[in-house]
Amino acid sequence: MTKERIAILGGGVSAMTAAVYLTEKENWQDLYDITVYQLGWRLGGKGASGRNAHFGERIEEHGLHVWFGAYVNSFRAIETVYDKLNRPATVPIHTWQQALKPHSFVVLQEYIDNQWETWPVDFPLIDGNPADGTLDLHFWQLIELVVAWLHKWIDELEEAIEASNRKTQLQTRKQRDRSLLQHLAGEISGAFDSIEDSVKSFFDSAIDEAQDILSTPKLLISQLHDLMSLRAKDKNLTNSKDRLVTWYIVRKLKRWLRSEALELIDDNPAVRRAYICADLAIAMTVGMIRDRVHANGFGVLNKYDFKYWLARNGADKEYAVESAPVRGFYDLVFGFVDGDFKNGDVEAGVASLAMLRIMLCYKGGVMWKMQAGMGDIIFSPIYELLSQRGVKFEFFNQVEGLKPGQDENGNYVVDEISIIEQVELKNGQYQPFVDVKGLPCWPSQPNLDQIVDEQADLIRQHKVNLESFWTDWPAIYEQHYQRPLTRKTLTRMRDFDKVVFGISVGSLEHLCPELLALDYGFEQQSSKVKTVATQAFQVWLNKTDEQLGFNYTPTSEERPILSAFSQPFDTWAAMSNLLGVEDWPSSGPCNIAYFCSAFTCDYYPPASEHTFPAEQTAKVKVNSLNKLNHEMQPLWPSAYNDVGQFIWDVIYDPSAAPTEQRFDSQYWRVNVDPSERYVLSVTGSSDFRLATDGTVFKNLFITGDWIKTGVNAGCVEAAVMAGMQTSRAICGLPEEISGENGFEPDGT
């Protein structure tokens, strides 16, 4: 039997996930011949990381990478990789449990009365393996979980309001509202064998037309929670009174909060934060009912921006819509068109479903931290496993373009793939790893000793970036050798039968213009699914977080992951947990800080403008220095002297005086390349996302967090789901992809 040749273009999360599941198929080597074509010297795409041999084998990332405990498919994939790879115990990280550790301590920043206030949140640990979780929650299950959180916040608020001698008794007078409470009483009384006296009295008054119905917020929310628990089990969507009573109770609670809690907010941070959370939960519940998400699916919400949708459904514009949790979510998904921090835009369906899943579906920690670089933790074991299985890797193979054609039946297909061979290898096969304390890692620069000496010297001399869209390497090579870089053309039915396009959406216009011209839907996806540049910097420190003045350490002593701070660099993560896998001398740093955010850029010049990346990187350095010199004092007060100047002695660099010069040895980068920009979920863009086999080209499978997945947002989980869908479209595996129908309706 002739093997089907599969060309995988790109080595990011989606492409590698597709390769993993394709090779999970029994006897796959009898069916497929798989080759990965990868720009430069490493896998990873936006998740690539490298080790810098000049500075303690430190980890250098594209930005901050953490996984959420609700990344069900991602954990299933990486568990599969580690289990099947079965690294020997002599490798420092040989199980997925060693690779990722649960993390519960999340910090938000609130800007109140012209100063920053810290909102620490220590999420509860939830037993279980994220791989055993599910994202396939129906409408009532989601509402039940929202109401469970609302129950907690309402209880806290009622106690605070009662302590302030304010009103906690609620009254129901309208006949329509009485009928809804009668429905509630009938459903719960019929389902529970015993009901406590206070609840029974409440139900009796609802049924007795002669009595006023008196209740408290705690009583109302507890009974609504009981009803939601029933509906979560029976998934009964047919009785509209269930939705109406939910609508009535949460709106009644909202009116009570506005009446009794607002005056307490300014003087009590705990009340303000509980109010914000309750108000957001109420607005989301109202919105899901109002927009009939159960019948229309979350996709119906994507015509609205998330903040607009919250306000439309009654969220407090002053306190909730612009609150730290909402701002933190926009920061999380870099949700700013062109990096304009005044132009936030995230689809309401994508945002609300993502927030609900993150909060309600996680196992272990709400987040999970990788215990080395993302390249080391994710892409090294994937490469090892796939290599063992017989997948071929062609590094330094830059995809230049795809050309369409027609097959024998007149169907459009990808007919040719043009590739630039960036370098000549001494032995024909590139060995990509460096060993760092026993762990196979990707270096931050290519292993030049494997490249022919003359080319390696040129790359070293000109500091060539082989991963950049704007690289001047072709011109340098041609000037030196008096000939262009070697090109090769892969041809359908000779070199490939199927193509997995795993390069990000920003590259489509450059690599696939002829395909886009033939496929209007594909062209619309290319133009409507937007991307944004991002920026990041990392500093190695001589002081711990506490010595810097950050004193919000939880009992677990976890280091903070913080967001909703001043922009740019609205996100900071304390990453001292990585020091042990770097290779510093005994007098090395004692702490690491990662920062990232969107990057303001609305113009990307042609590839011939070679200085563009350096110019943008210089802006990141300016932004980074400004962050340290002027904006970190609210978080690191002890890193500033009495007149508010940053004390540069806190930055680790034993070779430099304690001045701003120490920043020169730290790490910063800009992600402006078409394949490195972050994929956005701007309003209405989900309508233009295609399935993996959704183009008109019969042998083309697109994959990435930019296709239609059931998440539709730039993140690892969407990328993994896309890779799974690609593999399934080709070979039938995996059969189950949790949450892929998240935007579809549950019923009528």
Side-chain angles (χ1 to χ4, degrees):
M1 184 174 67
T2 303
K3 292 183 182 181
E4 196 166 50
R5 290 153 297 203
I6 300 175
I8 297 180
L9 310 182
V13 170
S14 294
M16 293 301 93
T17 300
V20 167
Y21 280 98
L22 283 168
T23 57
E24 280 289 288
K25 190 171 180 67
E26 188 176 359
N27 299 323
W28 77 269
Q29 289 172 315
D30 297 331
L31 302 172
Y32 308 122
D33 184 310
I34 302 174
T35 304
V36 176
Y37 296 91
Q38 173 62 45
L39 170 77
W41 66 95
R42 57 183 166 179
L43 302 179
K46 292 185 283 291
S49 68
R51 295 304 192 104
N52 191 323
H54 299 292
F55 296 100
E57 294 291 359
R58 72 187 186 189
I59 297 163
E60 297 176 344
E61 298 272 9
H62 276 60
L64 173 65
H65 299 289
V66 294
W67 285 21
F68 285 95
Y71 281 4
V72 174
N73 298 290
S74 302
F75 277 94
R76 288 177 183 173
I78 204 62
E79 183 177 36
T80 296
V81 169
Y82 274 90
D83 287 353
K84 297 294 178 67
L85 178 59
N86 193 23
R87 275 176 168 171
T90 52
V91 178
I93 297 174
H94 55 271
T95 68
W96 77 265
Q97 293 93 338
Q98 294 171 322
L100 293 120
K101 299 287 186 183
H103 181 88
S104 301
F105 186 45
V106 179
V107 180
L108 300 170
Q109 289 299 112
E110 300 178 285
Y111 196 63
I112 298 170
D113 295 332
N114 295 316
Q115 64 181 11
W116 288 102
E117 293 191 15
T118 297
W119 179 349
V121 184
D122 198 13
F123 283 86
L125 283 168
I126 295 178
D127 289 341
N129 176 353
D132 298 329
T134 182
L135 300 179
D136 291 313
L137 299 182
H138 63 70
F139 178 79
W140 284 128
Q141 288 175 316
L142 288 170
I143 297 291
E144 178 201 19
L145 293 166
V146 172
V147 170
W149 280 93
L150 185 57
H151 196 335
K152 173 182 179 294
W153 295 317
I154 291 295
D155 285 2
E156 293 175 9
L157 288 163
E158 183 173 325
E159 290 174 8
I161 288 168
E162 194 169 37
S164 300
N165 298 313
R166 300 183 68 84
K167 176 184 171 185
T168 58
Q169 188 178 73
L170 305 177
Q171 190 171 18
T172 299
R173 292 191 177 92
K174 293 179 181 178
Q175 182 57 43
R176 180 198 63 187
D177 299 338
R178 179 184 288 272
S179 71
L180 292 175
L181 294 181
Q182 288 171 353
H183 170 72
L184 176 67
E187 292 296 305
I188 293 177
S189 298
F192 293 93
D193 294 332
S194 60
I195 299 175
E196 57 188 88
D197 291 342
S198 60
V199 177
K200 187 175 187 305
S201 175
F202 166 60
F203 285 165
D204 288 345
S205 67
I207 295 167
D208 186 350
E209 302 286 345
Q211 293 188 55
D212 287 340
I213 306 177
L214 301 178
S215 60
T216 65
K218 282 185 182 180
L219 192 151
L220 277 181
I221 195 63
S222 66
Q223 299 316 299
L224 179 59
H225 188 220
D226 284 345
L227 177 63
M228 295 300 97
S229 297
L230 293 174
R231 291 297 166 263
K233 293 181 179 70
D234 65 25
K235 196 183 174 181
N236 186 351
L237 294 162
T238 60
N239 195 329
S240 62
K241 280 195 171 182
D242 291 336
R243 297 188 293 277
L244 289 172
V245 73
T246 304
W247 171 283
Y248 164 69
I249 289 176
V250 297
R251 286 172 61 86
K252 191 173 189 69
L253 293 172
K254 181 177 76 172
R255 289 192 294 272
W256 168 71
L257 287 172
R258 300 280 168 90
S259 170
E260 305 301 326
L262 276 176
E263 290 187 15
L264 307 178
I265 282 177
D266 291 338
D267 299 321
N268 191 325
V271 170
R272 181 181 68 250
R273 292 163 186 172
Y275 172 85
I276 287 169
C277 292
D279 194 68
L280 289 172
I282 289 168
M284 291 180 72
T285 303
V286 167
M288 286 189 285
I289 293 172
R290 178 184 185 181
D291 290 307
R292 294 177 56 80
V293 165
H294 71 284
N296 299 320
F298 277 91
V300 75
L301 309 181
N302 285 330
K303 59 189 173 185
Y304 306 114
D305 170 64
F306 184 49
K307 287 184 180 179
Y308 174 86
W309 181 73
L310 289 172
R312 179 177 181 265
N313 291 296
D316 189 309
K317 292 182 181 179
E318 180 180 358
Y319 290 100
V321 175
E322 294 296 335
S323 65
V326 176
R327 290 187 300 105
F329 185 82
Y330 278 70
D331 294 344
L332 172 70
V333 297
F334 302 93
F336 306 97
V337 177
D338 295 330
D340 179 355
F341 294 108
K342 296 179 181 178
N343 188 15
D345 187 354
V346 182
E347 291 175 305
V350 167
S352 56
L353 183 57
M355 288 185 78
L356 290 170
R357 285 171 164 174
I358 287 170
M359 290 280 291
L360 309 176
C361 298
Y362 77 87
K363 290 186 181 293
V366 68
M367 292 180 175
W368 288 65
K369 266 186 172 180
M370 284 174 273
Q371 300 304 299
M374 187 164 177
D376 313 332
I377 293 298
I378 306 302
F379 293 100
S380 290
I382 287 176
Y383 174 80
E384 287 181 286
L385 179 65
L386 293 176
S387 294
Q388 286 180 12
R389 288 178 167 181
V391 173
K392 297 187 287 290
F393 287 85
E394 297 287 347
F395 290 101
F396 304 105
N397 273 240
Q398 177 183 355
V399 177
E400 188 175 29
L402 281 67
K403 290 189 177 296
Q406 290 180 290
D407 65 15
E408 60 277 8
N409 298 315
N411 298 310
Y412 284 123
V413 290
V414 175
D415 214 35
E416 293 182 353
I417 303 168
S418 176
I419 288 180
I420 299 173
E421 294 185 338
Q422 294 178 289
V423 299
E424 182 182 348
L425 297 171
K426 290 179 179 177
N427 299 317
Q429 186 68 32
Y430 183 70
Q431 303 301 320
F433 292 146
V434 292
D435 182 289
V436 181
K437 299 168 76 170
L439 190 67
C441 301
W442 307 89
S444 59
Q445 298 295 325
N447 293 324
L448 293 178
D449 58 332
Q450 297 182 44
I451 298 171
V452 296
D453 293 337
E454 192 173 2
Q455 292 182 20
D457 289 342
L458 277 176
I459 291 168
R460 192 180 293 112
Q461 175 187 343
H462 293 277
K463 298 180 179 179
V464 169
N465 184 350
L466 293 171
E467 294 178 324
S468 175
F469 175 77
W470 290 275
T471 184
D472 55 357
W473 174 237
I476 292 169
Y477 182 96
E478 186 163 357
Q479 182 178 16
H480 181 82
Y481 287 101
Q482 296 300 301
R483 66 177 187 272
L485 281 165
T486 302
R487 284 169 167 79
K488 63 185 176 186
T489 299
L490 307 181
T491 305
R492 184 177 65 88
M493 298 182 69
R494 184 191 70 191
D495 303 298
F496 67 89
D497 300 294
K498 287 184 167 66
V499 180
V500 174
F501 187 90
I503 305 169
S504 194
V505 65
S507 297
L508 287 175
E509 63 176 310
H510 304 292
L511 305 184
C512 306
E514 294 181 53
L515 275 62
L516 300 181
L518 291 171
D519 186 342
Y520 179 72
F522 200 18
E523 186 279 327
Q524 287 288 282
Q525 181 175 35
S526 174
S527 61
K528 301 294 186 183
V529 178
K530 304 289 186 183
T531 61
V532 66
T534 62
Q535 58 188 326
F537 76 95
Q538 299 167 209
V539 288
W540 285 258
L541 300 156
N542 293 315
K543 302 289 185 182
T544 66
D545 302 321
E546 288 76 16
Q547 289 169 337
L548 293 167
F550 188 83
N551 294 310
Y552 296 91
T553 306
T555 54
S556 65
E557 298 188 355
E558 284 186 340
R559 303 295 87 192
I561 294 177
L562 179 146
S563 195
F565 192 36
S566 59
Q567 294 161 326
F569 299 118
D570 42 52
T571 300
W572 158 54
M575 302 295 287
S576 57
N577 61 297
L578 299 180
L579 286 169
V581 294
E582 297 179 337
D583 196 13
W584 297 100
S586 58
S587 59
C590 68
N591 198 1
I592 314 173
Y594 283 27
F595 296 85
C596 66
S597 74
F599 176 75
T600 304
C601 185
D602 61 2
Y603 170 69
Y604 300 95
S608 56
E609 295 196 21
H610 305 308
T611 60
F612 178 72
E615 292 164 359
Q616 305 313 302
T617 302
K619 293 178 183 178
V620 175
K621 183 179 183 182
V622 170
N623 292 341
S624 305
L625 288 169
N626 184 67
K627 194 72 180 182
L628 295 175
N629 279 321
H630 304 295
E631 295 184 2
M632 283 301 290
Q633 193 165 6
L635 301 179
W636 295 351
S638 300
Y640 293 79
N641 62 23
D642 293 341
V643 293
Q645 295 174 319
F646 187 70
I647 302 169
W648 281 96
D649 188 54
V650 305
I651 300 295
Y652 174 80
D653 184 352
S655 65
T659 66
E660 197 173 280
Q661 180 187 353
R662 287 199 171 187
F663 189 79
D664 292 344
S665 64
Q666 308 304 301
Y667 180 70
W668 63 96
R669 69 173 290 132
V670 67
N671 299 307
V672 289
D673 273 69
S675 62
E676 292 185 337
R677 300 197 293 265
Y678 198 89
V679 176
L680 298 178
S681 304
V682 300
T683 303
S685 62
S686 280
D687 289 343
F688 300 97
R689 288 173 176 255
L690 300 176
T692 185
D693 55 357
T695 75
V696 301
F697 303 97
K698 297 302 180 183
N699 65 340
L700 175 64
F701 298 85
I702 55 176
T703 199
D705 57 5
W706 47 279
I707 72 169
K708 180 181 178 181
T709 61
V711 172
N712 290 5
C715 64
V716 165
E717 182 71 352
V720 168
M721 292 168 73
M724 288 177 160
Q725 290 173 327
T726 299
S727 174
R728 186 178 59 191
I730 295 172
C731 78
L733 294 178
E735 295 179 4
E736 179 192 353
I737 303 173
S738 187
E740 67 176 328
N741 297 314
F743 295 102
E744 303 304 317
D746 286 319
T748 57

